[in-house]
Amino acid sequence: MARYDCCCPDPASSGARATPNDATSPGRNRIHLIVDDLDTEIDRLRDAGLAFRSELVSGPGGRQILLADPAGNLIELFQPVREATPAHT
């Protein structure tokens, strides 16, 4: 299940990378959807016939991939790095 968040990427993060040059109309910015299991979502969307606009990118904050909606707006699927949960003693 995706949730909607607004984020401002750190300049060193993969989210700070430029939008692809050929994405000049509409949707120069991107819609950012956070997912729990990026690999499962990629497989599900590929099986449904969707094409991705980027390769899977990993950075310090997580992993992401881009695709476009029917109007050409970029959609970023993002799976944040999971913080380790402390062991209970």
Side-chain angles (χ1 to χ4, degrees):
M1 173 126 225
R3 69 176 189 263
Y4 302 98
D5 284 336
C6 178
C7 69
C8 298
D10 180 283
S13 75
S14 56
R17 292 184 183 142
T19 298
N21 288 334
D22 65 340
T24 57
S25 64
R28 185 67 178 160
N29 293 309
R30 59 182 82 165
I31 299 165
H32 179 88
L33 300 176
I34 296 175
V35 298
D36 293 325
D37 186 341
L38 186 56
D39 295 319
T40 297
E41 291 300 321
I42 291 170
D43 290 343
R44 184 178 69 81
L45 294 168
R46 278 199 175 122
D47 289 347
L50 277 74
F52 289 87
R53 295 290 313 275
S54 72
E55 297 297 320
L56 182 63
V57 176
S58 294
R63 302 178 324 135
Q64 69 185 39
I65 194 165
L66 295 176
L67 62 151
D69 72 8
N73 299 297
L74 288 177
I75 299 169
E76 175 186 332
L77 300 180
F78 177 75
Q79 180 181 343
V81 170
R82 292 193 178 111
E83 295 183 25
T85 54
H88 294 283
T89 57

